[in-house]
Amino acid sequence: MNFKEQILQGIPSTLPAGKSYPEDANRAPKRKDILSLEEKQLAIRNALRYFPKEWHPKLATEFANELKEFGRIYMYRFKPDYDIYARGIAEYPAITQQAAALMLMIQNNLNPAVAQHPEELITYGGNGAVFQNWAQYLIVMQYLAIMTEEQTLHLYSGHPMGLFPSSKNAPRVVVTNGMMIPNYSKPNDWEKYNALGVTQYGQMTAGSFMYIGPQGIVHGTTITVMNAFRKILKKSENPNGKIFLTAGLGGMSGAQPKAGTIAGCITICAEVNAKAATKRHEQGWVDVLIDDIDELVKRTLKAKKNNEVVSIAFIGNVIDVWEKFDQENIFIHIGSDQTSLHIPWTGGYYPAGLSYEESNVLIKENPELFKEKVQESLRRHANSINNHTKKGTYFFDYGNAFLLEASRAGAAVMAENGIDFKYPSYVQDILGPMCFDYGFGPFRWVCASGLSEDLDKTDAIAATVLKELMQKSPDEIKLQMQDNITWIQDAKANKMVVGSQARILYADAEGRIAIAKAFNDAITKGEIGPVILGRDHHDVSGTDSPFRETSNIYDGSKFTADMAIHNVIGDSFRGATWVSIHNGGGVGWGEVINGGFGMLLDGTTKAEEKLKNMLFYDVNNGLARRSWARNDEAIFAIKREMARTPNLKVTLPNLVEDNLLKDLF
């Protein structure tokens, strides 16, 4: 059968041959053996319901072995034999182009060049799943192929519940991931119910099919690092020869050295997994690969002396680097961490003093001891950071739950009040007040034709639109505008594309709508093919995350999730092609609710109507919430939006004088 025929068949009519696990694959961490005997039997029963009874005796044994070996049932036997990558939209068997766009994005998220653990359907973060198993993938692709414009596919944590009658104006797909009852939203609950096959961790953009490789996090990290240096350097200084020290080169965190190079500094990124570090070096995302701490010191001093812009991957533990640089009195200008501390006990963070291989054995054979080692290392890690910050290092939490898990380990990371952390998150200090509160966030698009020349044309269109908008922009947002004009002009030279022909930049509602309309006009004229719009969930409006996206909300509402829920509901009836809402993200299961969307532009007047309506709400929902929280920049932005849009009426806060509250209690 050819590719289209395989898609259309869904679950094969005859049992496919078994598959052995590829030796060169990057395997997902082994999950906890957390199920009771009865629950393991239930997990097998749950998995077998995808298949005819005559296959059950053979598959039951096979799935039980997967559960024993991996802690999950992935159904390797059913992984299709064709290559998985983002084909041109016309290559997919589909009745509606909207469904074909979704198929393209799903395959992009599972492309081995994009996905962290593609055999396990995990895109990034160690657990960010597109689907729980290969049966779900097969059924979803089949449903999308036969879907009409008057049907909607509903996905429950990867499971295709079915195609339901709807309307042309409804989303074609509605995605939920990990929507647990609150009392069942602890980390072990994810381990248990994911092993049972009834829920999954969608991360942020993985489970909503909107991941575009590391480009998105490169851009966000570039903006963050640039502005971090702006905070600590004089206007006349540049970051050349200045050090940015961090950790993590797998998945999302692998973007850090590329971002540091674009920002113009020395980036040192530690990674305990030699395979991950080597992969980034081979991809050209990191310049130098070093596995000896003394050699790292020598190379760093040389880079400082010569005011270099260079990225260095250190194969080893970042704690050793922090401590060694302290001993050698090497000044670190800015520091952070992007290890996967949302899953600290299953390979997201590796303790000092143990090799990568030794740690993996300990995870499997003695998880309690591994947890003790991790928490001991977090205390060491924090102590060394504290030593450096006393010398003037600017340290920020990069939203990976570093400070949260360090505090739980008893590390010295709390402020004097015993409530707040002593170091800010990057959203509190940088992205919140400088970007999100002004409405600027990660707008992205994918050229569905798969043609690089279409991406070049959209880059040029976006740059032209931004330059025109900047001419009339108020001073408050000119820096954001210029940073993104520079970014889009240099994007091709920085070789950002991995997988689909995709691009990202930060824009506000006005910018997103203007760029999208210009794309739609170009499609109408036949200058480019269809374009898929989306964004990172890490944005103005889509995510409620008290330790990251909404960490600069100070009215007590940062632990509420109304904004994210309203975002996905509001987008769904304003024109999104698909919408998604997830429990969990970069900071952990139970710590965040985040939502996203996808929208196909096909050059029609209907697409223009939808993009104007939906993109406007998608941003301004968040600005309204942020302004109500009394964030000055958001009050400025929403007032400006209301002046532009008479039909928008937002409730504004009346500010209270501090001295009025002093003697009330």
Side-chain angles (χ1 to χ4, degrees), residues 106-135:
I106 288 170
Q107 290 206 314
N108 188 62
N109 276 235
L110 293 173
N111 179 349
V114 175
Q116 184 182 20
H117 306 300
E119 302 297 321
E120 292 88 3
L121 303 109
I122 290 171
T123 302
Y124 64 84
N127 58 1
V130 182
F131 300 105
Q132 296 179 60
N133 55 60
W134 286 104

mmCIF file of all heavy atoms in Angstrom, residues 106-135:
data_model
loop_
_atom_site.group_PDB
_atom_site.id
_atom_site.type_symbol
_atom_site.label_atom_id
_atom_site.label_comp_id
_atom_site.label_asym_id
_atom_site.label_seq_id
_atom_site.Cartn_x
_atom_site.Cartn_y
_atom_site.Cartn_z
ATOM 1 N N ILE A 106 0.641 17.047 12.924
ATOM 2 C CA ILE A 106 0.854 15.852 13.744
ATOM 3 C C ILE A 106 2.130 15.154 13.317
ATOM 4 O O ILE A 106 2.969 14.768 14.154
ATOM 5 C CB ILE A 106 -0.361 14.906 13.634
ATOM 6 C CG1 ILE A 106 -1.557 15.483 14.393
ATOM 7 C CG2 ILE A 106 -0.017 13.510 14.159
ATOM 8 C CD1 ILE A 106 -2.865 14.745 14.140
ATOM 9 N N GLN A 107 2.300 14.978 12.007
ATOM 10 C CA GLN A 107 3.498 14.278 11.531
ATOM 11 C C GLN A 107 4.763 15.093 11.796
ATOM 12 O O GLN A 107 5.818 14.520 12.075
ATOM 13 C CB GLN A 107 3.357 13.948 10.050
ATOM 14 C CG GLN A 107 2.302 12.873 9.796
ATOM 15 C CD GLN A 107 2.559 12.105 8.520
ATOM 16 O OE1 GLN A 107 2.855 12.680 7.473
ATOM 17 N NE2 GLN A 107 2.446 10.786 8.598
ATOM 18 N N ASN A 108 4.648 16.404 11.748
ATOM 19 C CA ASN A 108 5.814 17.221 12.076
ATOM 20 C C ASN A 108 6.231 17.021 13.528
ATOM 21 O O ASN A 108 7.421 16.946 13.849
ATOM 22 C CB ASN A 108 5.530 18.698 11.826
ATOM 23 C CG ASN A 108 6.772 19.556 11.966
ATOM 24 O OD1 ASN A 108 7.737 19.399 11.234
ATOM 25 N ND2 ASN A 108 6.759 20.462 12.937
ATOM 26 N N ASN A 109 5.258 16.935 14.421
ATOM 27 C CA ASN A 109 5.565 16.760 15.840
ATOM 28 C C ASN A 109 6.161 15.395 16.148
ATOM 29 O O ASN A 109 6.783 15.206 17.196
ATOM 30 C CB ASN A 109 4.308 16.987 16.689
ATOM 31 C CG ASN A 109 4.071 18.452 16.985
ATOM 32 O OD1 ASN A 109 3.947 18.871 18.130
ATOM 33 N ND2 ASN A 109 4.007 19.273 15.943
ATOM 34 N N LEU A 110 5.960 14.419 15.245
ATOM 35 C CA LEU A 110 6.507 13.071 15.446
ATOM 36 C C LEU A 110 7.702 12.772 14.547
ATOM 37 O O LEU A 110 8.235 11.662 14.573
ATOM 38 C CB LEU A 110 5.404 12.026 15.214
ATOM 39 C CG LEU A 110 4.267 12.034 16.244
ATOM 40 C CD1 LEU A 110 3.156 11.089 15.822
ATOM 41 C CD2 LEU A 110 4.784 11.669 17.624
ATOM 42 N N ASN A 111 8.118 13.742 13.765
ATOM 43 C CA ASN A 111 9.299 13.603 12.912
ATOM 44 C C ASN A 111 10.522 13.357 13.792
ATOM 45 O O ASN A 111 10.792 14.135 14.716
ATOM 46 C CB ASN A 111 9.464 14.894 12.101
ATOM 47 C CG ASN A 111 10.671 14.881 11.183
ATOM 48 O OD1 ASN A 111 11.537 14.020 11.251
ATOM 49 N ND2 ASN A 111 10.733 15.874 10.315
ATOM 50 N N PRO A 112 11.300 12.289 13.556
ATOM 51 C CA PRO A 112 12.484 12.033 14.391
ATOM 52 C C PRO A 112 13.466 13.197 14.441
ATOM 53 O O PRO A 112 14.216 13.323 15.416
ATOM 54 C CB PRO A 112 13.115 10.797 13.723
ATOM 55 C CG PRO A 112 11.973 10.111 13.061
ATOM 56 C CD PRO A 112 11.066 11.208 12.579
ATOM 57 N N ALA A 113 13.471 14.053 13.420
ATOM 58 C CA ALA A 113 14.347 15.226 13.447
ATOM 59 C C ALA A 113 13.828 16.299 14.389
ATOM 60 O O ALA A 113 14.569 17.193 14.798
ATOM 61 C CB ALA A 113 14.486 15.808 12.039
ATOM 62 N N VAL A 114 12.558 16.201 14.758
ATOM 63 C CA VAL A 114 11.912 17.184 15.628
ATOM 64 C C VAL A 114 11.676 16.622 17.025
ATOM 65 O O VAL A 114 11.925 17.277 18.035
ATOM 66 C CB VAL A 114 10.566 17.652 15.019
ATOM 67 C CG1 VAL A 114 9.830 18.584 15.971
ATOM 68 C CG2 VAL A 114 10.800 18.335 13.674
ATOM 69 N N ALA A 115 11.173 15.383 17.085
ATOM 70 C CA ALA A 115 10.730 14.782 18.341
ATOM 71 C C ALA A 115 11.896 14.257 19.170
ATOM 72 O O ALA A 115 12.861 13.704 18.635
ATOM 73 C CB ALA A 115 9.749 13.652 18.062
ATOM 74 N N GLN A 116 11.780 14.390 20.471
ATOM 75 C CA GLN A 116 12.807 13.922 21.394
ATOM 76 C C GLN A 116 12.819 12.391 21.504
ATOM 77 O O GLN A 116 13.864 11.765 21.429
ATOM 78 C CB GLN A 116 12.565 14.534 22.776
ATOM 79 C CG GLN A 116 13.634 14.206 23.806
ATOM 80 C CD GLN A 116 13.311 14.800 25.173
ATOM 81 O OE1 GLN A 116 12.164 15.139 25.457
ATOM 82 N NE2 GLN A 116 14.304 14.914 26.019
ATOM 83 N N HIS A 117 11.639 11.804 21.667
ATOM 84 C CA HIS A 117 11.507 10.341 21.771
ATOM 85 C C HIS A 117 10.419 9.887 20.798
ATOM 86 O O HIS A 117 9.311 9.532 21.210
ATOM 87 C CB HIS A 117 11.140 9.924 23.199
ATOM 88 C CG HIS A 117 12.055 10.442 24.264
ATOM 89 N ND1 HIS A 117 13.399 10.146 24.299
ATOM 90 C CD2 HIS A 117 11.830 11.245 25.334
ATOM 91 C CE1 HIS A 117 13.953 10.737 25.351
ATOM 92 N NE2 HIS A 117 13.020 11.413 25.983
ATOM 93 N N PRO A 118 10.704 9.892 19.497
ATOM 94 C CA PRO A 118 9.651 9.627 18.509
ATOM 95 C C PRO A 118 9.027 8.243 18.602
ATOM 96 O O PRO A 118 7.850 8.077 18.290
ATOM 97 C CB PRO A 118 10.364 9.833 17.170
ATOM 98 C CG PRO A 118 11.823 9.686 17.473
ATOM 99 C CD PRO A 118 11.997 10.199 18.862
ATOM 100 N N GLU A 119 9.783 7.240 19.030
ATOM 101 C CA GLU A 119 9.217 5.893 19.128
ATOM 102 C C GLU A 119 8.099 5.840 20.165
ATOM 103 O O GLU A 119 7.166 5.044 20.044
ATOM 104 C CB GLU A 119 10.310 4.884 19.505
ATOM 105 C CG GLU A 119 11.476 4.819 18.543
ATOM 106 C CD GLU A 119 11.073 4.351 17.161
ATOM 107 O OE1 GLU A 119 10.224 3.445 17.073
ATOM 108 O OE2 GLU A 119 11.601 4.883 16.165
ATOM 109 N N GLU A 120 8.195 6.689 21.174
ATOM 110 C CA GLU A 120 7.188 6.739 22.243
ATOM 111 C C GLU A 120 6.185 7.864 22.039
ATOM 112 O O GLU A 120 5.436 8.193 22.950
ATOM 113 C CB GLU A 120 7.874 6.895 23.604
ATOM 114 C CG GLU A 120 8.672 5.674 24.047
ATOM 115 C CD GLU A 120 10.113 5.693 23.532
ATOM 116 O OE1 GLU A 120 10.501 6.691 22.882
ATOM 117 O OE2 GLU A 120 10.831 4.717 23.768
ATOM 118 N N LEU A 121 6.208 8.479 20.834
ATOM 119 C CA LEU A 121 5.302 9.573 20.471
ATOM 120 C C LEU A 121 5.454 10.785 21.377
ATOM 121 O O LEU A 121 4.499 11.521 21.636
ATOM 122 C CB LEU A 121 3.837 9.090 20.476
ATOM 123 C CG LEU A 121 3.542 7.907 19.570
ATOM 124 C CD1 LEU A 121 3.270 6.645 20.397
ATOM 125 C CD2 LEU A 121 2.340 8.177 18.671
ATOM 126 N N ILE A 122 6.685 11.019 21.858
ATOM 127 C CA ILE A 122 6.968 12.136 22.762
ATOM 128 C C ILE A 122 7.802 13.173 22.021
ATOM 129 O O ILE A 122 8.875 12.876 21.494
ATOM 130 C CB ILE A 122 7.693 11.637 24.025
ATOM 131 C CG1 ILE A 122 6.706 10.827 24.877
ATOM 132 C CG2 ILE A 122 8.272 12.800 24.829
ATOM 133 C CD1 ILE A 122 7.338 10.104 26.033
ATOM 134 N N THR A 123 7.296 14.388 22.002
ATOM 135 C CA THR A 123 7.923 15.450 21.221
ATOM 136 C C THR A 123 9.051 16.141 21.981
ATOM 137 O O THR A 123 10.125 16.380 21.429
ATOM 138 C CB THR A 123 6.867 16.485 20.791
ATOM 139 O OG1 THR A 123 5.849 15.814 20.042
ATOM 140 C CG2 THR A 123 7.474 17.566 19.934
ATOM 141 N N TYR A 124 8.830 16.472 23.251
ATOM 142 C CA TYR A 124 9.885 17.134 24.030
ATOM 143 C C TYR A 124 9.562 17.050 25.507
ATOM 144 O O TYR A 124 8.480 16.612 25.911
ATOM 145 C CB TYR A 124 10.073 18.593 23.599
ATOM 146 C CG TYR A 124 8.885 19.502 23.843
ATOM 147 C CD1 TYR A 124 8.680 20.107 25.079
ATOM 148 C CD2 TYR A 124 7.969 19.764 22.842
ATOM 149 C CE1 TYR A 124 7.595 20.934 25.310
ATOM 150 C CE2 TYR A 124 6.877 20.593 23.060
ATOM 151 C CZ TYR A 124 6.697 21.171 24.298
ATOM 152 O OH TYR A 124 5.620 21.984 24.531
ATOM 153 N N GLY A 125 10.534 17.468 26.325
ATOM 154 C CA GLY A 125 10.326 17.547 27.763
ATOM 155 C C GLY A 125 10.336 16.214 28.489
ATOM 156 O O GLY A 125 10.019 16.155 29.674
ATOM 157 N N GLY A 126 10.673 15.131 27.789
ATOM 158 C CA GLY A 126 10.709 13.819 28.418
ATOM 159 C C GLY A 126 9.361 13.154 28.538
ATOM 160 O O GLY A 126 9.276 11.943 28.727
ATOM 161 N N ASN A 127 8.268 13.953 28.425
ATOM 162 C CA ASN A 127 6.933 13.376 28.582
ATOM 163 C C ASN A 127 5.864 14.071 27.750
ATOM 164 O O ASN A 127 4.688 13.737 27.854
ATOM 165 C CB ASN A 127 6.511 13.405 30.065
ATOM 166 C CG ASN A 127 6.506 14.808 30.636
ATOM 167 O OD1 ASN A 127 6.802 15.785 29.952
ATOM 168 N ND2 ASN A 127 6.171 14.932 31.908
ATOM 169 N N GLY A 128 6.240 15.035 26.934
ATOM 170 C CA GLY A 128 5.278 15.791 26.141
ATOM 171 C C GLY A 128 4.789 14.968 24.958
ATOM 172 O O GLY A 128 5.427 14.914 23.908
ATOM 173 N N ALA A 129 3.638 14.321 25.128
ATOM 174 C CA ALA A 129 3.167 13.327 24.174
ATOM 175 C C ALA A 129 2.161 13.887 23.179
ATOM 176 O O ALA A 129 1.296 14.693 23.534
ATOM 177 C CB ALA A 129 2.546 12.151 24.925
ATOM 178 N N VAL A 130 2.262 13.422 21.941
ATOM 179 C CA VAL A 130 1.256 13.711 20.923
ATOM 180 C C VAL A 130 0.096 12.727 21.082
ATOM 181 O O VAL A 130 -1.070 13.105 21.021
ATOM 182 C CB VAL A 130 1.865 13.614 19.511
ATOM 183 C CG1 VAL A 130 0.833 13.955 18.442
ATOM 184 C CG2 VAL A 130 3.072 14.538 19.382
ATOM 185 N N PHE A 131 0.451 11.458 21.283
ATOM 186 C CA PHE A 131 -0.520 10.406 21.577
ATOM 187 C C PHE A 131 0.084 9.488 22.627
ATOM 188 O O PHE A 131 1.304 9.485 22.849
ATOM 189 C CB PHE A 131 -0.866 9.584 20.331
ATOM 190 C CG PHE A 131 -1.462 10.386 19.211
ATOM 191 C CD1 PHE A 131 -0.723 10.707 18.087
ATOM 192 C CD2 PHE A 131 -2.773 10.824 19.279
ATOM 193 C CE1 PHE A 131 -1.257 11.455 17.050
ATOM 194 C CE2 PHE A 131 -3.328 11.578 18.250
ATOM 195 C CZ PHE A 131 -2.574 11.895 17.141
ATOM 196 N N GLN A 132 -0.755 8.654 23.248
ATOM 197 C CA GLN A 132 -0.264 7.689 24.217
ATOM 198 C C GLN A 132 0.313 6.452 23.546
ATOM 199 O O GLN A 132 1.209 5.810 24.091
ATOM 200 C CB GLN A 132 -1.394 7.250 25.154
ATOM 201 C CG GLN A 132 -1.951 8.360 26.018
ATOM 202 C CD GLN A 132 -3.072 7.848 26.893
ATOM 203 O OE1 GLN A 132 -2.877 6.943 27.699
ATOM 204 N NE2 GLN A 132 -4.258 8.405 26.728
ATOM 205 N N ASN A 133 -0.211 6.104 22.366
ATOM 206 C CA ASN A 133 0.216 4.868 21.709
ATOM 207 C C ASN A 133 -0.033 4.987 20.208
ATOM 208 O O ASN A 133 -0.698 5.917 19.729
ATOM 209 C CB ASN A 133 -0.531 3.663 22.295
ATOM 210 C CG ASN A 133 -2.038 3.835 22.218
ATOM 211 O OD1 ASN A 133 -2.602 3.983 21.134
ATOM 212 N ND2 ASN A 133 -2.704 3.832 23.379
ATOM 213 N N TRP A 134 0.492 4.008 19.461
ATOM 214 C CA TRP A 134 0.426 4.080 18.004
ATOM 215 C C TRP A 134 -0.963 3.770 17.466
ATOM 216 O O TRP A 134 -1.308 4.181 16.349
ATOM 217 C CB TRP A 134 1.482 3.168 17.389
ATOM 218 C CG TRP A 134 2.850 3.763 17.539
ATOM 219 C CD1 TRP A 134 3.823 3.406 18.422
ATOM 220 C CD2 TRP A 134 3.359 4.884 16.805
ATOM 221 N NE1 TRP A 134 4.928 4.227 18.288
ATOM 222 C CE2 TRP A 134 4.672 5.137 17.298
ATOM 223 C CE3 TRP A 134 2.857 5.688 15.791
ATOM 224 C CZ2 TRP A 134 5.465 6.169 16.797
ATOM 225 C CZ3 TRP A 134 3.653 6.716 15.288
ATOM 226 C CH2 TRP A 134 4.943 6.944 15.797
ATOM 227 N N ALA A 135 -1.788 3.059 18.215
ATOM 228 C CA ALA A 135 -3.163 2.834 17.770
ATOM 229 C C ALA A 135 -3.912 4.155 17.682
ATOM 230 O O ALA A 135 -4.667 4.401 16.727
ATOM 231 C CB ALA A 135 -3.876 1.876 18.720
#
